[in-house]
Amino acid sequence: MLAAAMLFTAVAATAQPRRPRHLKLEQPEPHRKKGPDAWRTGPRHEVSLKAGAFPFTGNCGHLGLSIGAERLPLYPGIFATPDAVAAFKVRYSPRKTSGGITAAYYYRATYALWVGVAFTYTGLYGDIFDTRTGRKISSNDMTTISVAPALRLQWLNRPMVRCYSALAIGPAVDITAIDDGRQTYLGLSGTIVGVSVGRRLYGFGEIGAGMQGIFSAGMGYRF
């Protein structure tokens, strides 16, 4: 009996197929990183372009809120028009504005904090007329340019929806066409609430104040 059992065991062992040495076991797929550092594997750069209504400038406050036809004193020597000098009065036409146009770049430094820079342009366009003859004396255009370092705090982070607040402070210059004058000051833009919808390509809307406007909307791309 013992000899028969040993013979049966030997035959059963030789009957089992051997795994070829050149075959490797399939490795399980690595799990996606989770936890507080998961944001490091996602997009960390962002570019955007937006247009804002009622941007703030040093010369004209929030553009569009208090712009209209007006009569102002004309000081001799400013305009080379004899009729205008004799009248000492001019009329400013209602001015049109391009709003605040802002191009920005942001880098995600931490889970909630983005750092970047914002370039803002605003244009204000109008004319100045002689009140006696109605003739156009000069253009009343003004251009404002701002370059501001920016910080953005992202306080809601979902795959498709993100909410944030932001602050940008930097030098700004108002350039007036009538005398090629320049006024330099420190420009400020604040976003109270911003909402973006989308993953890499997204649209967004913001409510705030300052150089970039009170109400703004635009599109951006994360990479």
Side-chain angles (χ1 to χ4, degrees):
M1 289 293 293
L2 180 61
M6 294 178 62
L7 179 61
F8 178 78
T9 303
V11 172
T14 56
Q16 294 180 355
R18 295 184 179 181
R19 182 183 294 116
R21 294 183 178 180
H22 65 276
L23 294 180
K24 295 183 180 180
L25 293 176
E26 294 184 0
Q27 298 294 330
E29 295 184 1
H31 295 286
R32 291 185 177 181
K33 193 172 184 180
K34 297 181 180 180
D37 292 332
W39 60 271
R40 297 180 184 275
T41 61
R44 299 185 66 178
H45 303 270
E46 183 180 291
V47 291
S48 63
L49 181 65
K50 70 176 182 179
F54 312 123
F56 182 87
T57 67
N59 278 334
C60 296
H62 282 92
L63 302 186
L65 293 183
S66 60
I67 297 174
E70 56 189 38
R71 293 173 177 267
L72 296 177
L74 173 67
Y75 298 97
I78 296 181
F79 308 116
T81 304
D83 291 339
V85 174
F88 283 94
K89 295 283 186 177
V90 293
R91 178 174 61 85
Y92 285 60
S93 69
R95 289 191 286 190
K96 298 179 181 179
T97 176
S98 65
I101 301 174
T102 302
Y105 164 79
Y106 280 95
Y107 172 77
R108 192 173 192 176
T110 68
Y111 174 78
L113 183 65
W114 295 69
V115 297
V117 59
F119 303 88
T120 301
Y121 166 88
T122 65
L124 193 61
Y125 316 104
D127 297 315
I128 303 175
F129 297 91
D130 184 341
T131 56
R132 293 182 59 187
T133 64
R135 292 186 305 175
K136 175 182 174 180
I137 299 173
S138 179
S139 295
N140 193 28
D141 299 344
M142 187 182 74
T143 299
T144 302
I145 300 174
S146 171
V147 180
L151 295 175
R152 189 174 71 195
L153 182 64
Q154 186 169 289
W155 41 268
L156 178 65
N157 186 15
R158 295 291 182 268
M160 285 294 294
V161 179
R162 304 185 183 192
C163 297
Y164 56 89
S165 300
L167 180 66
I169 303 177
V173 57
D174 291 338
I175 305 172
T176 53
I178 190 172
D179 56 359
D180 198 28
R182 284 170 170 78
Q183 177 183 349
T184 304
Y185 53 94
L186 192 63
L188 172 67
S189 294
T191 299
I192 301 173
V193 177
V195 179
S196 68
V197 179
R199 294 181 182 271
R200 290 187 177 270
L201 181 64
Y202 63 93
F204 64 95
E206 298 175 351
I207 298 176
M211 299 290 299
Q212 299 177 16
I214 297 178
F215 307 103
S216 58
M219 297 191 69
Y221 183 74
R222 301 183 183 103
F223 57 98

